[in-house]
Amino acid sequence: MDDLESLADEIRSADTVVAFTGAGISAPSGVPTFRGDDGVWEQFDEGQFTYGRFRSDPEGFWDDRVDLQREMFDEEYEPNAAHEALAAMGRDGHLEAILTQNTDGLHAQAAAAVSGDSSEDADGTGGNRTDGAAESNAEAAADDTTLLELHGNARRVRCTDCGRRRDGDPIFERAADGELPPTCECSGVFKPDVVLFGEQLPGAVIQRARSLARESDVFLAIGSSLVVEPAASLPRQAASTGATLGIVNLESTPVDDAADVVRREDVTEVLPRLRELVAE
């Protein structure tokens, strides 16, 4: 029995399995990464996308944000085999929660696809319920699987006055057409529904993520360098409370020493294999 089979056995017998994902799970879908040689921040100045600038210069912020949004989402991206494998594990009752650092919405799309619901609601969460307790980030439910978007969802916007969330595409189109900044019916300014530089993760979001990490029997860290805090501390927190920790990432991470299973392989190959083993 290899370590992937052992991990599958642990998942089958576990009460609570949690997956934590980073940019490496979406890169195979073509979603640009932010850092690295070809990262978005090689083309844009990340200092222009701070919460402070949004507050002091919303017009200039939105003007630059339109260009960034085009670079990030000008193409239509689809969930890949790794997203689909996690969604299937959730549908089959083998995954309690997905905690993601990504803002691309692909986990919600994959969950909607495996559940047979191809609709996408105004929150960009693939037709799944959005729990307002998660403050400015989405905590959605696909069947019995929680999806916690730690850094928000770049395909949505939120009014800074009334708090209403809606699909971001029409708002970005309005901004591109010269409405800077775009505003809500209540006259509040729309903000991309993501955590900006200089903005803290909402307390309810990180508290919920930490609770899930502590409660997990198996914790899977997938496609993340595990260096961005506070989210990167979640795998070690899970391991410290007795969870079996599995890491799937092409590069080594600072948490490899705490892991029970480390696979430095393509997530689109490992996750489907793991899902098949769990289903046996």
Side-chain angles (χ1 to χ4, degrees):
M1 180 182 295
D2 68 14
D3 56 2
L4 206 61
E5 292 175 324
S6 298
L7 186 58
D9 285 344
E10 293 285 345
I11 291 172
R12 275 196 300 269
S13 62
D15 290 328
T16 303
V17 180
V18 175
F20 170 80
T21 68
I25 198 171
S26 291
S29 291
V31 178
T33 58
F34 283 98
R35 305 196 182 276
D37 294 338
D38 298 320
V40 169
W41 298 137
E42 291 295 312
Q43 303 175 55
F44 294 87
D45 178 5
E46 61 187 84
Q48 300 303 307
F49 302 97
T50 66
Y51 185 61
R53 187 187 184 206
F54 170 77
R55 294 293 301 272
S56 64
D57 179 23
E59 180 176 341
F61 172 92
W62 266 101
D63 193 24
D64 289 335
R65 182 73 194 197
V66 167
D67 292 335
L68 177 64
Q69 195 80 357
R70 284 173 176 161
E71 177 65 26
M72 290 293 296
F73 298 113
D74 197 35
E75 298 182 22
E76 289 296 325
Y77 303 112
E78 299 293 336
N80 60 52
H83 296 107
E84 292 165 355
L86 290 180
M89 288 172 62
R91 178 199 61 197
D92 297 341
H94 296 300
L95 188 62
E96 176 75 15
I98 298 173
L99 320 178
T100 186
Q101 294 174 295
N102 301 334
T103 63
D104 50 47
L106 291 181
H107 281 299
Q109 291 182 35
V114 302
S115 68
D117 180 3
S118 61
S119 65
E120 186 164 335
D121 68 7
D123 290 322
T125 53
N128 302 315
R129 177 184 61 81
T130 299
D131 185 348
E135 296 180 2
S136 67
N137 296 82
E139 181 175 343
D143 299 324
D144 293 323
T145 303
T146 294
L147 172 59
L148 193 62
E149 295 173 317
L150 300 173
H151 296 159
N153 188 316
R155 308 307 296 266
R156 292 193 308 264
V157 295
R158 181 176 62 88
C159 175
T160 53
D161 283 359
C162 71
R164 180 187 178 191
R165 291 188 181 87
R166 57 190 295 177
D167 176 28
D169 287 346
I171 307 306
F172 278 97
E173 289 177 8
R174 284 164 48 186
D177 289 340
E179 185 184 335
L180 298 171
T183 56
C184 178
E185 289 83 351
C186 75
S187 299
V189 175
F190 279 119
K191 171 185 172 292
D193 198 20
V194 297
V195 177
L196 301 174
F197 292 110
E199 186 177 17
Q200 292 187 337
L201 270 70
V205 172
I206 193 60
Q207 183 177 3
R208 176 72 169 133
R210 286 170 175 157
S211 294
L212 285 164
R214 288 193 299 268
E215 295 165 4
S216 65
D217 301 304
V218 178
F219 193 96
L220 306 175
I222 301 160
S224 174
S225 60
L226 301 180
V227 296
V228 178
E229 294 294 349
S233 63
L234 297 172
R236 197 175 290 278
Q237 185 173 34
S240 71
T241 54
T244 297
L245 175 59
I247 295 177
V248 183
N249 195 55
L250 288 175
E251 306 295 333
S252 61
T253 80
V255 192
D256 287 356
D257 63 306
D260 300 280
V261 176
V262 176
R263 302 295 289 250
R264 293 180 188 164
E265 301 174 58
D266 189 327
V267 295
T268 63
E269 296 177 1
V270 176
L271 269 295
R273 291 208 309 269
L274 179 62
R275 186 253 165 170
E276 290 175 359
L277 290 169
V278 171
E280 288 182 354

